[in-house]
Amino acid sequence: MGRVVQLHTRVRLSVMKLTRKRVLTEAKASHLENVRKLNCWGCQLTDVSILSQMPNIEVLTLSVNSISSLSPLAGCLSLCELYLRRNMIASLSELCYLRPMARLRILWLADNPCCGDDSGRYRLTVLRCLPRLQKLDNRVVTEDEITLAHLEGEEMGTPPNAGRHQLPTNGLTDAEKENNSLGHKTEDTNNISEELRSKPMSRDKFPSLHSQSTGSSMKKTHTLDAVLLLLRDLDHEELRVVHTETQNRLRTCKADSLETLRESQPSKSADIQH
């Protein structure tokens, strides 16, 4: 009986949970919603589910713990820096919980089981999943790496237990998504996404990609190449966001052109009268 109690005690001690009190004390905050930075380095944590109540956190240090899943971070859409070195993350598919984090620029994931033995392939796979990163494992991400990642990086699916956790939708409620003015049906968007994934974009449709040779035009070419590559990996929700931003940009450009045209008209009239 004594041995059973001892084993049970060991099991309980092996589960180290990050608590509300600890978070507020460490962050010197009065509410979880006010926490912007949190450092839990080397705390032997296994349960960080409380992070789901911290949507405004921007810098999070969880290195040297025993965390095995990133699902509690799914709602932390304000994250800019995330440090996860030396944990127990077994699969790179856990990165699916980080994909909606548009502000995430720094990630340290080294020394986890998911990194494997092939460091080059690991890096390309992470960058394919998270192409917005500017620094990975304390190394600056280059433009060439992003391009190569979309060609050679492995495409990650969702973890087996992802169904238990609802992935974020960039803060949109069901009503907001229903009233979205894009006018695209989900099926149509999925077809677009599938076509982009399966068919390489023809350069003939974009003559500017190979007709210009100046430094400025080459930079634009690289930017357009990167955009076209990124489109292939976006899901339908992310494509909806891109479509909205594109429409807004087109409207702005059109308005600027009309304004320029109006400003030039009086001078033309004056030239005719004289």
Side-chain angles (χ1 to χ4, degrees):
M1 179 67 179
R3 186 176 180 180
V4 173
V5 173
Q6 185 178 13
L7 289 173
H8 181 65
T9 302
R10 287 180 181 175
V11 171
R12 287 192 301 172
L13 290 176
S14 66
V15 179
M16 295 293 292
K17 185 174 184 177
L18 182 61
T19 63
R20 175 189 175 89
K21 180 179 180 180
R22 186 167 191 170
V23 169
L24 297 180
T25 300
E26 180 69 31
K28 296 179 174 59
S30 55
H31 302 285
L32 293 176
E33 294 80 3
N34 297 334
V35 176
R36 296 293 189 274
K37 296 183 180 181
L38 182 63
N39 188 343
C40 292
W41 189 96
C43 295
Q44 300 180 339
L45 297 172
T46 59
D47 184 346
V48 291
S49 56
I50 196 171
L51 293 173
S52 62
Q53 302 176 44
M54 300 161 58
N56 299 313
I57 191 165
E58 298 174 356
V59 180
L60 179 59
T61 301
L62 294 171
S63 296
V64 194
N65 283 287
S66 299
I67 298 167
S68 59
S69 176
L70 301 182
S71 60
L73 281 67
C76 302
L77 300 182
S78 297
L79 265 179
C80 301
E81 301 180 23
L82 178 59
Y83 302 92
L84 291 164
R85 186 173 61 91
R86 291 181 58 186
N87 273 279
M88 301 298 294
I89 301 168
S91 172
L92 288 177
S93 62
E94 291 287 331
L95 294 177
C96 75
Y97 297 111
L98 308 184
R99 288 194 67 178
M101 299 178 185
R103 300 179 184 178
L104 187 62
R105 293 295 179 266
I106 298 177
L107 174 65
W108 201 333
L109 190 64
D111 301 320
N112 274 276
C114 63
C115 299
D117 299 325
D118 190 341
S119 60
R121 189 161 192 80
Y122 147 75
R123 187 172 176 87
L124 292 178
T125 298
V126 174
L127 292 178
R128 174 165 183 168
C129 186
L130 304 172
R132 302 183 187 95
L133 289 180
Q134 296 176 353
K135 184 179 287 189
L136 173 61
D137 295 339
N138 207 31
R139 278 177 52 196
V140 174
V141 175
T142 66
E143 184 178 325
D144 290 339
E145 279 187 304
I146 295 297
T147 302
L148 187 61
H150 282 82
L151 296 174
E152 299 184 8
E154 185 178 350
E155 185 174 359
M156 286 289 101
T158 56
N161 61 345
R164 302 176 186 176
H165 310 280
Q166 184 176 359
L167 294 178
T169 56
N170 295 324
L172 294 178
T173 63
D174 291 338
E176 290 171 330
K177 288 187 288 184
E178 184 67 26
N179 294 327
N180 196 299
S181 60
L182 294 174
H184 282 290
K185 294 182 180 180
T186 300
E187 304 84 45
D188 294 336
T189 315
N190 283 335
N191 290 337
I192 294 173
S193 179
E194 188 61 32
E195 183 177 355
L196 286 171
R197 291 176 189 274
S198 59
K199 297 181 179 180
M201 301 298 291
S202 172
R203 285 183 164 282
D204 294 336
K205 296 182 180 180
F206 303 95
S208 62
L209 290 179
H210 45 75
S211 62
Q212 303 293 333
S213 59
T214 64
S216 176
S217 63
M218 286 301 293
K219 183 176 181 181
K220 290 182 179 179
T221 295
H222 290 319
T223 301
L224 185 53
D225 277 341
V227 170
L228 296 178
L229 285 170
L230 289 172
L231 285 175
R232 302 178 190 179
D233 292 314
L234 299 183
D235 58 26
H236 76 271
E237 285 294 341
E238 292 165 333
L239 284 169
R240 286 158 65 94
V241 174
V242 171
H243 186 274
T244 299
E245 292 300 323
T246 303
Q247 292 292 86
N248 291 339
R249 178 62 179 156
L250 286 172
R251 281 193 289 268
T252 300
C253 291
K254 184 177 181 180
D256 291 343
S257 298
L258 291 175
E259 185 64 27
T260 302
L261 182 62
R262 292 194 193 98
E263 291 176 354
S264 64
Q265 284 177 347
S267 60
K268 290 182 179 179
S269 299
D271 292 339
I272 294 173
Q273 290 175 355
H274 289 292

